[in-house]
Amino acid sequence: VEGHRNLERINTNRVRGGMALVLAEGLALKAPKIQKHVKNLKIDGWEWLEQLISGVKSSSDSEEDEETDGKPKIKPKDKYMRDLIAGRPVFSHPSRPGGFRLRYGRSRNTSFAAAGISPAGMIVMDDFIAPGTQLKVERPGKAAGMAPVDSIEGPTVRLNNGDVLRIDTIDEAYALRSEVEEIIDIGEILINYGDFLENNHPLAPSPYCFEWWIQEYRKAAPDAETDEAELKDPTQEVALDLCKELNIPLHPKFTYLWHDIDNSQYTVLADLISEDGLLEADGSILKLPLQRTIDTGMKKVLEDLLVQHKVNDPTLTIQEPLPFIYSLGLDKRLSKGWDSLEHEELLENINEIAGFVVRPRAPTRIGARMGRPEKSDKRKMTPAPHALFPIAEAGGNTRSLEKAANFKVNTNSKAGTIPVEIGNRICPACGVEGFEFRCDCGEYTLPKLFCPRCGISVNKAKCPKCDSKTTCTSMRKIDFKSIYQKAYANIGERDHLDSFKGVKKMMSKHMTPEPLEKGILRAKHDLFTFKDGTVRYDMSDIPLTHIRPSEIGVSCERMIELGYLKDIYGKPLTDSEQVLCLKVQDLVISYDAADYILRITQYIDDLLVKYYKVAPYYNTKHIDDIVGVLLMGLAPHTSAGVLGRLLGFTTASVGYAHPYFHAAKRRNCDGDEDCVMLLMDGLLNFSRDYLPDKRGGQMDAPLVLTTRLDPSEVDKEAHNIDMCASYPLEFYEATQNIANPKDFEDTMDLVSSRLGTTLQYEEFMFTHDTSNIAAGPLKSAYKTLGTMVEKMDAQLELAKKIRAVDAPDVAERVLTSHFLPDMFGNLRAFSRQGTRCVKCAAKFRRPPLTGSCPKCGGRVILTVHEGSVKKYLQVSIKVAEEYNVSSYTKQRIELIGYDMKSLFENDKSKQMGLSDFM
Ligand SMILES: [Zn+2]
Ligand SMILES: [Zn+2]
Ligand SMILES: [Zn+2]
C-alpha cells in the first residue's frame, strides 16, 4: 500500500484480505448486478453505483457504431491487435477488405463463442489455425475458438502463374498451397446470431448469401418446385433467368465485391472490357489481353472483386462472365450502355445500370489474429510426479523414488532412511503411530496434533496453553527403503520402472502421503498425478450439438446401445452418415486423450485387483472398450465436476461437448481449456487431504459433482444459443441497418425459449452443416515450429502473403509488444538476479563467498543467463531492418543493444591480435 501506511488499527502494510479482488472484480465489474440487488433490497448509500455504471457505458458505447450522413456504420476496432506475440500471426487488420467475411449462421460445431472457418483456409494460411485454436477477433466478442466448417467459402488466392481462384476443399488446399503467391481474401467466418446477442453487439450487415437469396426466391416463387442443391450452384443462364423472371436480386454466386472498388475503377474496367474484351459466342468465356489488364491496374481490380480468372499469356480468361458483364453495364456485344455515373456509391450506380438488383457481397469484415494454440495434452505438474509421496532431497533433482530408496545421508548411515517433513497420525483402535491414512489393523487413522511451541500433544486446532495453532507435521526420519520394497511386494509388481517420481514435499495441511502402491501402478501405466491424486487430461473446449457416427469412430450398433435411436429427421439410425442430436452429457475427445483414458482404466483395474483386492471394473483392451465410460469434466478455478459420458473420438486436438456441458463447467468456448478425468479415478483416488494448504488450494478440485445437467441451471450464456435451421428473411434485411440483436430475441429459436420443456434437450437444428468436425491441420503450426525465431519468420511470411495484413505493422507490433519488453525485462533481471545451486536448487540472493553451496557443496550458478538477455537482439535488428519499422523503434533497439554491450563486454580489457598493431 502506497499511502496511509503504518495505521495503528491495521496490522500490515500489504494489500490484504482480497480487497483488490472485491474492488476490481466484484464492485467495478459487477456494478449493474449489485445495483439490481441493492434496489430490490432497498439499501441506502449505494447511489454512487449509478455514476460507476453510467461512466462505464458512455465510453464503450460511443466507439461501437457511428452515424455518418444518417447511415449507421460499424467502426473498425483494433483492440484485438494489442499485445501481439511473436509466432502468432495476424490474419486480418481491422475490418480490412480481404479479411474474414462475416457470414451469419450456426454449424453443429460452432456458437457459444466458437466460430467456423473453412478447413481449406486453415491449410492455405500455413496451418496456423487448427480446430480448437483460439483467435482474438474484432467482433462480436473478444475471442473465439475455431472450428472447421466446409459449407462456407474458403480463401481466394492468386497462384504464381497469375490464376485467381477460390479454394473450398482440403484436397485443393494441399495441392495448391505451395503455389500460392497471395491470399487475396481469407474466406468467410461463420458466426451465429446468439453470439451477437450474448455480447450485445449491434448486428453488422449480413453479406448477400445463399440463405438470404433462397428466401427471396421462395417469396417470389412460392409454388416453384425447388431443388436446393441445384439452386445453390446455378449456371449463369439460370441465375440471370431467375433475376429476370422473378425480379429477385442476382444470385450470390455471381455477385462480386463491388463495394470494394470505386466509380473510376469501375469505369476503367467497363471501358477495357468493352474495347478489348472478346466474348465467346455462347457467352461462356470472356477473354482479355493480359498485359493490358496488368498495365491498367485492372488485374488487381478483378482480384479485389473476387472475379476468378485464369491466366494463359497473352490472355486472361473469365468463365461464366455474363452476370459480371451485365453488372458492368455492358451487353452481349460488350458495348457500353451508359456514359456517366450519377451516384457516389458504386453499388447504387450498378443497380441502375445492370437491370437487376446487386446486393453487397461482403459488407462486414472481421479482423483476427491468433490467440492461444489449441490444447489436447495430459495434465502434468512441473516436475510431474507419479505419486504424492514426499522424499525431500533424497531423490535428487529428478525426485526419483528409486534413488530415494537407496539414499544415504552419509557413508555410514543406513540406505533409504531419509529425513522428510511428514504428518504424524495415530490409530484410534490400537494406538499405533505412523503416517499412513490407514492402520495395519484396518482402522482409519487420525492426525496426531501437537503444539509446536509448547511441544505438548493437544487434540484441538488451537493450543489451550499458548493459543497457537497446532499441527501434526514434523521433520522425521522414515525408513523409505522398506516402505518402497513393501509397496512393490504388496501389489506383486517388480521394481523395473523406467521412471518413478515422487514429490519433495507434501503441500497439504496434514502432509499425509498417498499409498506408494498407487504411484507404482501409475508409473507402470505411464500416468501422472495431479496435486489432488487424480490423473487428468486437458483439452480446448469446442461446442458440438450434432454428430455423425462415422466421424467419431463408433458403430451404429454401439450408438443405438448408448441411446441414439433416431436422427434429426426422426428416422431410425441405420447408416453411420446420419446426423444425430448429441446428448448433452456426451463427450467426443481426441484420440490422444482416449489413449490416456484407456490407460487410466487399466490402471484403475490394476489398482482394484492388486491393491484393493476386489474384481476389476473396466476390463479394457482397446479404445473401443472405453466408449460409454463415465468421465468427470472440471474447469480450473472451480470446484464442481460435471458428469459426462465418453461417446467417441476425433482426430482434432479438442474436447468436443455440448455447449450445455461446457456451460455447466462454467466455461464458454472462446479458447478456454479444461480437463476430464475418469469418474472412478476421482472417486477412488481424490482426497481433500492432498489439496495444498494455501489460498486457492481448494480450486481446480472435484469437491462436488453435478450428475444431472439441468439447462436452466447452467450459465445464462448458453441460453442465448440459437437452435434454428435457418434465419428469417427479416433478420438479413434488418442487419443492413445495424439492428439491435434484442429485436430478434423472440423470432430466433433460442435455448431460453425452450427451458423447462423436453425441447431443451432435443430437436436442435443448425443452419450450416460441416462434413467433418475434425477437418483441417491436426496441430497449429505454432506448436510444430521450433524456435521463436522460426515462428516469427513463418508469421511474417504469412503476413506478406495475406492482402488484408500489413506486414511492417505486424513486425513493428511484435517488436514493441513482445521482443523489446522481453529484452528490457531480462536486462533488468540480469542485474538484479540471485544465484542457485545446481544440485539442490537452493537459492541465494548473493553468491556465497566459498563459491559452492553451503547446504550441499554443489556448484552455484547465476539464474539469468547472458544468452537469455541477448536472445532476441539479433532477430530484432534483422526484422527492424527488413520491414523498415519506425525510426523510433529502430532507435530503441539500438539503445538496448548498447546497454547490453556495456554490460557484457569489458571495454577496458579488449583482447587484441598482433595484427592490430601492424
Ligand atoms: Zn490400528
Ligand atoms: Zn502451546
Ligand atoms: Zn546445494
Side-chain angles (χ1 to χ4, degrees):
V1 178
E2 293 287 318
H4 300 288
R5 294 177 70 86
N6 306 326
L7 296 180
E8 215 169 281
R9 61 192 165 86
I10 289 163
N11 50 22
T12 166
N13 279 327
R14 288 164 177 261
V15 177
R16 80 219 101 82
M19 174 269 278
L21 200 70
V22 169
L23 281 184
E25 307 272 308
L27 268 175
L29 230 65
K30 305 274 187 229
K33 224 175 194 170
I34 298 170
Q35 195 187 33
K36 202 176 83 191
H37 291 302
V38 170
K39 272 187 181 162
N40 276 344
L41 298 166
K42 298 198 174 66
I43 305 173
D44 287 338
W46 288 79
E47 290 74 25
W48 52 272
L49 277 176
E50 195 82 46
Q51 223 181 336
L52 193 68
I53 296 164
S54 60
V56 170
K57 266 201 176 147
S58 63
S59 65
S60 72
D61 266 17
S62 60
E63 65 165 347
E64 200 50 82
D65 48 333
E66 188 194 25
E67 304 237 338
T68 39
D69 21 293
K71 253 184 141 185
K73 241 187 146 181
I74 298 254
K75 239 174 116 179
K77 279 199 290 193
D78 70 348
K79 206 171 170 187
Y80 73 95
M81 295 279 288
R82 281 176 210 169
D83 303 319
L84 210 59
I85 294 174
R88 303 190 186 178
V90 174
F91 302 109
S92 161
H93 271 61
S95 300
R96 202 174 279 194
F100 283 122
R101 289 179 276 131
L102 170 67
R103 183 145 174 194
Y104 282 105
R106 198 184 79 79
S107 186
R108 53 205 182 86
N109 54 352
T110 72
S111 73
F112 204 52
I117 63 168
S118 156
M122 296 177 173
I123 293 159
V124 168
M125 287 191 278
D126 295 342
D127 286 350
F128 272 102
I129 308 175
T133 305
Q134 181 202 44
L135 256 56
K136 300 263 185 202
V137 290
E138 190 178 354
R139 54 178 49 98
K142 288 194 192 101
M146 285 297 125
V149 175
D150 58 10
S151 59
I152 59 172
E153 289 175 13
T156 304
V157 300
R158 185 182 63 241
L159 303 180
N160 289 326
N161 65 9
D163 286 1
V164 168
L165 74 163
R166 196 174 77 215
I167 301 180
D168 283 334
T169 69
I170 292 178
D171 292 342
E172 275 178 298
Y174 279 122
L176 298 173
R177 174 159 73 172
S178 58
E179 291 168 45
V180 172
E181 188 178 66
E182 183 173 32
I183 305 170
I184 296 163
D185 171 277
I186 58 176
E188 290 181 317
I189 187 166
L190 186 75
I191 301 177
N192 68 318
Y193 156 77
D195 276 5
F196 279 82
L197 177 66
E198 172 61 30
N199 287 293
N200 197 16
H201 190 292
L203 295 169
S206 165
Y208 199 53
C209 52
F210 178 72
E211 304 86 82
W212 182 357
W213 178 88
I214 187 89
Q215 296 194 58
E216 297 198 295
Y217 166 80
R218 288 217 185 93
K219 206 170 152 191
D223 306 320
E225 294 270 318
T226 52
D227 176 4
E228 272 214 19
E230 199 179 302
L231 286 176
K232 227 171 208 168
D233 188 22
T235 62
Q236 59 175 357
E237 286 78 17
V238 170
L240 289 168
D241 283 351
L242 289 173
C243 283
K244 218 177 269 170
E245 279 168 31
L246 303 172
N247 200 19
I248 55 173
L250 181 62
H251 193 284
K253 181 185 172 189
F254 298 104
T255 303
Y256 302 103
L257 280 58
W258 300 108
H259 44 67
D260 285 350
I261 67 168
D262 60 27
N263 282 338
S264 64
Q265 288 171 315
Y266 177 79
T267 312
V268 176
L269 184 62
D271 288 339
L272 174 88
I273 292 173
S274 174
E275 286 159 23
D276 298 320
L278 224 134
L279 186 65
E280 300 261 299
D282 62 354
S284 63
I285 286 171
L286 174 69
K287 287 186 177 162
L288 295 172
L290 175 65
Q291 200 51 49
R292 231 181 95 81
T293 58
I294 294 171
D295 293 344
T296 51
M298 288 304 111
K299 169 101 169 62
K300 183 170 179 300
V301 170
L302 288 175
E303 291 173 6
D304 286 342
L305 290 170
L306 298 192
V307 175
Q308 301 184 37
H309 53 258
K310 278 206 154 57
V311 165
N312 196 351
D313 209 10
T315 321
L316 181 153
T317 55
I318 300 171
Q319 304 255 348
E320 295 203 290
L322 286 178
F324 172 63
I325 289 168
Y326 296 153
S327 297
L328 282 165
L330 308 175
D331 62 16
K332 241 186 156 172
R333 283 163 308 167
L334 300 184
S335 63
K336 207 170 118 186
W338 54 277
D339 294 320
S340 61
L341 301 170
E342 282 171 26
H343 304 279
E344 206 180 310
E345 291 262 324
L346 175 58
L347 259 178
E348 282 181 49
N349 293 319
I350 294 176
N351 278 318
E352 270 176 25
I353 294 167
F356 45 73
V357 178
V358 179
R359 289 248 155 94
R361 185 76 172 85
T364 306
R365 256 72 168 237
I366 296 191
R369 72 160 174 100
M370 184 179 169
R372 246 185 295 167
E374 74 291 347
K375 182 162 188 192
S376 167
D377 205 357
K378 26 195 151 325
R379 173 83 60 92
K380 276 177 166 180
M381 294 197 285
T382 41
H386 297 101
L388 296 175
F389 200 101
I391 46 169
E393 306 303 330
N397 265 343
T398 57
R399 289 128 171 88
S400 159
L401 288 166
E402 192 189 352
K403 217 164 157 186
N406 298 311
F407 180 79
K408 283 182 174 182
V409 179
N410 55 51
T411 38
N412 292 333
S413 62
K414 198 179 150 213
T417 301
I418 57 172
V420 288
E421 199 179 359
I422 205 162
N424 300 312
R425 301 181 76 92
I426 185 162
C427 171
C430 61
V432 169
E433 287 185 29
F435 59 81
E436 277 147 335
F437 187 66
R438 207 165 177 179
C439 174
D440 286 340
C441 77
E443 188 60 62
Y444 294 102
T445 59
L446 297 170
K448 187 169 182 271
L449 300 169
F450 68 97
C451 171
R453 208 187 276 179
C454 319
I456 52 163
S457 143
V458 202
N459 213 357
K460 285 190 191 113
K462 272 189 178 168
C463 172
K465 264 193 190 167
C466 69
D467 207 35
S468 54
K469 271 190 193 160
T470 59
T471 175
C472 70
T473 68
S474 63
M475 243 357 228
R476 49 185 274 197
K477 279 191 173 169
I478 58 168
D479 181 3
F480 184 66
K481 188 167 186 113
S482 60
I483 296 167
Y484 184 81
Q485 287 168 339
K486 228 170 89 185
Y488 273 104
N490 185 22
I491 52 173
E493 289 286 338
R494 295 245 308 279
D495 178 9
H496 51 50
L497 297 169
D498 290 339
S499 132
F500 182 27
K501 293 175 181 180
V503 294
K504 279 196 167 175
K505 189 183 164 186
M506 294 298 292
M507 304 302 286
S508 54
K509 188 172 175 213
H510 291 146
M511 293 194 173
T512 303
E514 274 193 313
L516 202 58
E517 290 87 341
K518 293 190 176 183
I520 295 173
L521 294 176
R522 273 192 210 109
K524 178 185 163 190
H525 293 280
D526 196 16
L527 302 167
F528 298 94
T529 181
F530 192 55
K531 62 176 183 181
D532 61 352
T534 60
V535 183
R536 303 182 177 195
Y537 194 93
D538 287 325
M539 282 174 287
S540 298
D541 294 327
I542 296 290
L544 184 69
T545 55
H546 299 75
I547 34 152
R548 290 191 173 88
S550 62
E551 70 190 354
I552 59 167
V554 184
S555 67
C556 287
E557 294 72 38
R558 188 76 182 107
M559 292 294 285
I560 290 167
E561 281 169 17
L562 293 168
Y564 287 87
L565 306 177
K566 286 180 176 161
D567 73 1
I568 43 171
Y569 306 108
K571 288 192 196 114
L573 175 61
T574 52
D575 182 344
S576 62
E577 290 301 321
Q578 276 171 279
V579 179
L580 312 162
C581 242
L582 182 73
K583 295 191 188 295
V584 300
Q585 279 172 274
D586 278 348
L587 318 179
V588 176
I589 62 172
S590 68
Y591 277 99
D592 186 54
D595 181 58
Y596 204 57
I597 301 273
L598 174 66
R599 290 197 330 250
I600 304 174
T601 60
Q602 291 165 347
Y603 149 66
I604 294 290
D605 274 358
D606 251 1
L607 193 65
L608 288 172
V609 173
K610 295 182 171 171
Y611 182 72
Y612 290 105
K613 319 284 183 205
V614 293
Y617 179 77
Y618 291 104
N619 299 308
T620 49
K621 288 202 174 63
H622 186 259
I623 57 165
D624 290 345
D625 302 332
I626 58 169
V627 172
V629 301
L630 295 180
L631 303 172
M632 205 189 317
L634 179 72
H637 307 293
T638 69
S639 312
V642 184
L643 187 69
R645 181 174 70 168
L646 200 165
L647 179 68
F649 319 107
T650 176
T651 51
S653 297
V654 299
Y656 269 126
H658 202 281
Y660 291 174
F661 187 81
H662 293 311
K665 293 178 301 186
R666 316 221 59 196
R667 300 262 99 178
N668 69 13
C669 302
D670 66 0
D672 280 342
E673 57 196 40
D674 53 29
C675 78
V676 289
M677 59 188 108
L678 193 67
L679 177 65
M680 185 78 97
D681 186 35
L683 296 176
L684 275 181
N685 297 322
F686 168 76
S687 171
R688 268 174 199 258
D689 268 8
Y690 302 142
L691 293 178
D693 182 32
K694 59 176 187 198
R695 192 162 33 102
Q698 306 271 312
M699 282 200 292
D700 207 0
L703 302 186
V704 292
L705 176 68
T706 305
T707 52
R708 203 184 117 251
L709 201 163
D710 183 345
S712 40
E713 285 173 358
V714 303
D715 200 294
K716 265 193 91 179
E717 191 171 348
H719 301 167
N720 282 337
I721 300 174
D722 45 87
M723 291 294 187
C724 35
S726 65
Y727 294 169
L729 182 57
E730 303 79 56
F731 171 81
Y732 292 104
E733 287 167 352
T735 61
Q736 302 306 300
N737 300 316
I738 327 260
N740 187 328
K742 288 218 161 63
D743 299 347
F744 287 90
E745 234 172 336
D746 300 327
T747 328
M748 296 285 193
D749 184 5
L750 293 177
V751 168
S752 53
S753 69
R754 293 166 169 239
L755 292 177
T757 69
T758 54
L759 287 181
Q760 68 184 356
Y761 291 119
E762 54 199 36
E763 290 182 32
F764 297 149
M765 288 303 283
F766 48 85
T767 60
H768 292 73
D769 195 7
T770 185
S771 60
N772 180 2
I773 56 169
L778 293 178
K779 269 185 187 169
S780 167
Y782 181 81
K783 280 163 57 180
T784 53
L785 288 169
T787 63
M788 196 48 86
V789 174
E790 276 171 29
K791 288 177 196 201
M792 168 119 187
D793 283 345
Q795 168 185 31
L796 289 170
E797 217 36 63
L798 181 63
K800 282 193 280 187
K801 259 198 302 196
I802 299 176
R803 189 172 278 191
V805 177
D806 176 353
D809 182 59
V810 172
E812 174 120 29
R813 282 173 190 266
V814 170
L815 289 177
T816 52
S817 67
H818 185 175
F819 285 175
L820 275 170
D822 197 283
M823 287 191 285
F824 281 119
N826 281 333
L827 192 63
R828 191 179 128 88
F830 186 85
S831 51
R832 295 164 58 95
Q833 68 182 316
T835 55
R836 181 173 60 90
C837 165
V838 277
K839 217 168 151 197
C840 72
K843 282 183 182 142
F844 309 97
R845 214 162 74 80
R846 295 198 175 79
L849 286 176
T850 54
S852 57
C853 173
K855 282 187 183 168
C856 72
R859 202 159 57 89
V860 172
I861 55 161
L862 292 172
T863 47
V864 184
H865 302 280
E866 184 179 335
S868 69
V869 178
K870 279 180 162 175
K871 67 181 169 187
Y872 291 143
L873 185 63
Q874 283 315 315
V875 61
S876 296
I877 293 171
K878 196 190 95 191
V879 167
E881 212 41 66
E882 209 174 310
Y883 291 88
N884 200 18
V885 301
S886 69
S887 51
Y888 173 65
T889 305
K890 272 187 194 164
Q891 284 167 15
R892 283 180 73 190
I893 297 170
E894 207 175 314
L895 281 173
I896 195 161
Y898 287 138
D899 285 348
M900 287 182 191
K901 213 171 163 190
S902 81
L903 184 68
F904 296 119
E905 283 173 30
N906 187 343
D907 33 28
K908 272 187 189 151
S909 61
K910 208 177 243 171
Q911 189 157 9
M912 288 179 146
L914 200 56
S915 58
D916 291 327
F917 299 95
M918 288 156 76

PDB file of all heavy atoms in Angstrom, residues 534 612 632 677-687 702 705:
ATOM      1  N   THR A 534      -5.567 -37.230  -8.634  1.00  0.00           N
ATOM      2  CA  THR A 534      -6.262 -37.705  -9.838  1.00  0.00           C
ATOM      3  C   THR A 534      -5.360 -37.576 -11.058  1.00  0.00           C
ATOM      4  O   THR A 534      -4.400 -36.820 -11.063  1.00  0.00           O
ATOM      5  CB  THR A 534      -7.546 -36.886 -10.101  1.00  0.00           C
ATOM      6  OG1 THR A 534      -7.178 -35.515 -10.271  1.00  0.00           O
ATOM      7  CG2 THR A 534      -8.523 -37.016  -8.957  1.00  0.00           C
ATOM      8  N   TYR A 612      -6.703 -52.996  -3.847  1.00  0.00           N
ATOM      9  CA  TYR A 612      -7.933 -53.100  -3.062  1.00  0.00           C
ATOM     10  C   TYR A 612      -8.442 -54.536  -2.983  1.00  0.00           C
ATOM     11  O   TYR A 612      -9.402 -54.822  -2.284  1.00  0.00           O
ATOM     12  CB  TYR A 612      -9.012 -52.182  -3.649  1.00  0.00           C
ATOM     13  CG  TYR A 612      -8.712 -50.713  -3.438  1.00  0.00           C
ATOM     14  CD1 TYR A 612      -8.272 -49.915  -4.476  1.00  0.00           C
ATOM     15  CD2 TYR A 612      -8.877 -50.134  -2.183  1.00  0.00           C
ATOM     16  CE1 TYR A 612      -7.996 -48.570  -4.285  1.00  0.00           C
ATOM     17  CE2 TYR A 612      -8.600 -48.784  -1.974  1.00  0.00           C
ATOM     18  CZ  TYR A 612      -8.162 -48.007  -3.036  1.00  0.00           C
ATOM     19  OH  TYR A 612      -7.887 -46.684  -2.829  1.00  0.00           O
ATOM     20  N   MET A 632     -15.443 -37.211 -15.723  1.00  0.00           N
ATOM     21  CA  MET A 632     -15.803 -36.018 -14.985  1.00  0.00           C
ATOM     22  C   MET A 632     -15.129 -34.843 -15.676  1.00  0.00           C
ATOM     23  O   MET A 632     -13.935 -34.909 -15.948  1.00  0.00           O
ATOM     24  CB  MET A 632     -15.291 -36.166 -13.555  1.00  0.00           C
ATOM     25  CG  MET A 632     -16.061 -35.359 -12.561  1.00  0.00           C
ATOM     26  SD  MET A 632     -15.305 -35.323 -10.939  1.00  0.00           S
ATOM     27  CE  MET A 632     -14.783 -36.960 -10.615  1.00  0.00           C
ATOM     28  N   MET A 677     -11.406 -36.281 -16.293  1.00  0.00           N
ATOM     29  CA  MET A 677     -10.765 -37.384 -15.570  1.00  0.00           C
ATOM     30  C   MET A 677     -11.761 -38.520 -15.541  1.00  0.00           C
ATOM     31  O   MET A 677     -12.964 -38.331 -15.745  1.00  0.00           O
ATOM     32  CB  MET A 677     -10.335 -36.956 -14.171  1.00  0.00           C
ATOM     33  CG  MET A 677     -11.450 -36.469 -13.283  1.00  0.00           C
ATOM     34  SD  MET A 677     -10.782 -35.774 -11.773  1.00  0.00           S
ATOM     35  CE  MET A 677     -11.054 -34.042 -12.018  1.00  0.00           C
ATOM     36  N   LEU A 678     -11.241 -39.708 -15.289  1.00  0.00           N
ATOM     37  CA  LEU A 678     -12.121 -40.861 -15.219  1.00  0.00           C
ATOM     38  C   LEU A 678     -12.895 -40.779 -13.905  1.00  0.00           C
ATOM     39  O   LEU A 678     -12.312 -40.515 -12.863  1.00  0.00           O
ATOM     40  CB  LEU A 678     -11.255 -42.128 -15.273  1.00  0.00           C
ATOM     41  CG  LEU A 678     -11.984 -43.428 -15.520  1.00  0.00           C
ATOM     42  CD1 LEU A 678     -12.557 -43.434 -16.934  1.00  0.00           C
ATOM     43  CD2 LEU A 678     -11.027 -44.595 -15.342  1.00  0.00           C
ATOM     44  N   LEU A 679     -14.200 -41.007 -13.960  1.00  0.00           N
ATOM     45  CA  LEU A 679     -15.015 -40.867 -12.755  1.00  0.00           C
ATOM     46  C   LEU A 679     -14.477 -41.749 -11.626  1.00  0.00           C
ATOM     47  O   LEU A 679     -14.308 -41.304 -10.505  1.00  0.00           O
ATOM     48  CB  LEU A 679     -16.472 -41.235 -13.058  1.00  0.00           C
ATOM     49  CG  LEU A 679     -17.391 -41.178 -11.836  1.00  0.00           C
ATOM     50  CD1 LEU A 679     -17.508 -39.768 -11.307  1.00  0.00           C
ATOM     51  CD2 LEU A 679     -18.757 -41.743 -12.155  1.00  0.00           C
ATOM     52  N   MET A 680     -14.160 -43.013 -11.933  1.00  0.00           N
ATOM     53  CA  MET A 680     -13.696 -43.946 -10.904  1.00  0.00           C
ATOM     54  C   MET A 680     -12.389 -43.463 -10.274  1.00  0.00           C
ATOM     55  O   MET A 680     -12.169 -43.663  -9.080  1.00  0.00           O
ATOM     56  CB  MET A 680     -13.503 -45.324 -11.536  1.00  0.00           C
ATOM     57  CG  MET A 680     -13.139 -46.393 -10.544  1.00  0.00           C
ATOM     58  SD  MET A 680     -14.540 -46.971  -9.620  1.00  0.00           S
ATOM     59  CE  MET A 680     -14.935 -48.412 -10.581  1.00  0.00           C
ATOM     60  N   ASP A 681     -11.538 -42.834 -11.089  1.00  0.00           N
ATOM     61  CA  ASP A 681     -10.281 -42.303 -10.569  1.00  0.00           C
ATOM     62  C   ASP A 681     -10.580 -41.221  -9.540  1.00  0.00           C
ATOM     63  O   ASP A 681      -9.990 -41.186  -8.461  1.00  0.00           O
ATOM     64  CB  ASP A 681      -9.443 -41.754 -11.735  1.00  0.00           C
ATOM     65  CG  ASP A 681      -8.060 -41.312 -11.289  1.00  0.00           C
ATOM     66  OD1 ASP A 681      -7.499 -41.960 -10.397  1.00  0.00           O
ATOM     67  OD2 ASP A 681      -7.557 -40.319 -11.838  1.00  0.00           O
ATOM     68  N   GLY A 682     -11.526 -40.346  -9.886  1.00  0.00           N
ATOM     69  CA  GLY A 682     -11.902 -39.283  -8.966  1.00  0.00           C
ATOM     70  C   GLY A 682     -12.468 -39.851  -7.672  1.00  0.00           C
ATOM     71  O   GLY A 682     -12.159 -39.384  -6.579  1.00  0.00           O
ATOM     72  N   LEU A 683     -13.289 -40.894  -7.807  1.00  0.00           N
ATOM     73  CA  LEU A 683     -13.929 -41.462  -6.618  1.00  0.00           C
ATOM     74  C   LEU A 683     -12.925 -42.218  -5.740  1.00  0.00           C
ATOM     75  O   LEU A 683     -12.972 -42.138  -4.515  1.00  0.00           O
ATOM     76  CB  LEU A 683     -15.060 -42.412  -7.039  1.00  0.00           C
ATOM     77  CG  LEU A 683     -16.224 -41.756  -7.783  1.00  0.00           C
ATOM     78  CD1 LEU A 683     -17.222 -42.804  -8.236  1.00  0.00           C
ATOM     79  CD2 LEU A 683     -16.904 -40.708  -6.914  1.00  0.00           C
ATOM     80  N   LEU A 684     -12.002 -42.935  -6.362  1.00  0.00           N
ATOM     81  CA  LEU A 684     -11.057 -43.755  -5.595  1.00  0.00           C
ATOM     82  C   LEU A 684      -9.877 -42.961  -5.056  1.00  0.00           C
ATOM     83  O   LEU A 684      -9.460 -43.164  -3.920  1.00  0.00           O
ATOM     84  CB  LEU A 684     -10.494 -44.869  -6.488  1.00  0.00           C
ATOM     85  CG  LEU A 684     -11.264 -46.161  -6.636  1.00  0.00           C
ATOM     86  CD1 LEU A 684     -10.485 -47.098  -7.538  1.00  0.00           C
ATOM     87  CD2 LEU A 684     -11.486 -46.814  -5.269  1.00  0.00           C
ATOM     88  N   ASN A 685      -9.330 -42.095  -5.892  1.00  0.00           N
ATOM     89  CA  ASN A 685      -8.018 -41.536  -5.567  1.00  0.00           C
ATOM     90  C   ASN A 685      -8.008 -40.089  -5.129  1.00  0.00           C
ATOM     91  O   ASN A 685      -7.020 -39.616  -4.599  1.00  0.00           O
ATOM     92  CB  ASN A 685      -7.080 -41.705  -6.765  1.00  0.00           C
ATOM     93  CG  ASN A 685      -6.852 -43.162  -7.075  1.00  0.00           C
ATOM     94  OD1 ASN A 685      -6.753 -43.983  -6.164  1.00  0.00           O
ATOM     95  ND2 ASN A 685      -6.820 -43.499  -8.345  1.00  0.00           N
ATOM     96  N   PHE A 686      -9.095 -39.371  -5.388  1.00  0.00           N
ATOM     97  CA  PHE A 686      -9.128 -37.974  -4.959  1.00  0.00           C
ATOM     98  C   PHE A 686      -9.273 -37.906  -3.454  1.00  0.00           C
ATOM     99  O   PHE A 686      -9.995 -38.698  -2.856  1.00  0.00           O
ATOM    100  CB  PHE A 686     -10.298 -37.235  -5.609  1.00  0.00           C
ATOM    101  CG  PHE A 686     -10.549 -35.896  -4.995  1.00  0.00           C
ATOM    102  CD1 PHE A 686      -9.715 -34.835  -5.285  1.00  0.00           C
ATOM    103  CD2 PHE A 686     -11.584 -35.698  -4.098  1.00  0.00           C
ATOM    104  CE1 PHE A 686      -9.907 -33.594  -4.701  1.00  0.00           C
ATOM    105  CE2 PHE A 686     -11.791 -34.463  -3.503  1.00  0.00           C
ATOM    106  CZ  PHE A 686     -10.949 -33.417  -3.811  1.00  0.00           C
ATOM    107  N   SER A 687      -8.554 -36.972  -2.839  1.00  0.00           N
ATOM    108  CA  SER A 687      -8.806 -36.703  -1.429  1.00  0.00           C
ATOM    109  C   SER A 687      -8.558 -35.232  -1.157  1.00  0.00           C
ATOM    110  O   SER A 687      -7.590 -34.659  -1.639  1.00  0.00           O
ATOM    111  CB  SER A 687      -7.897 -37.547  -0.550  1.00  0.00           C
ATOM    112  OG  SER A 687      -8.042 -37.105   0.792  1.00  0.00           O
ATOM    113  N   PRO A 702     -12.262 -31.589  -7.634  1.00  0.00           N
ATOM    114  CA  PRO A 702     -13.665 -32.016  -7.739  1.00  0.00           C
ATOM    115  C   PRO A 702     -14.297 -32.203  -6.363  1.00  0.00           C
ATOM    116  O   PRO A 702     -14.464 -33.326  -5.903  1.00  0.00           O
ATOM    117  CB  PRO A 702     -13.568 -33.338  -8.503  1.00  0.00           C
ATOM    118  CG  PRO A 702     -12.198 -33.859  -8.197  1.00  0.00           C
ATOM    119  CD  PRO A 702     -11.319 -32.678  -7.921  1.00  0.00           C
ATOM    120  N   LEU A 705     -19.923 -32.917  -7.374  1.00  0.00           N
ATOM    121  CA  LEU A 705     -20.125 -33.442  -8.720  1.00  0.00           C
ATOM    122  C   LEU A 705     -21.574 -33.232  -9.137  1.00  0.00           C
ATOM    123  O   LEU A 705     -22.497 -33.583  -8.405  1.00  0.00           O
ATOM    124  CB  LEU A 705     -19.783 -34.940  -8.739  1.00  0.00           C
ATOM    125  CG  LEU A 705     -20.017 -35.675 -10.053  1.00  0.00           C
ATOM    126  CD1 LEU A 705     -19.042 -35.184 -11.116  1.00  0.00           C
ATOM    127  CD2 LEU A 705     -19.861 -37.176  -9.855  1.00  0.00           C
TER     128      LEU A 705
END
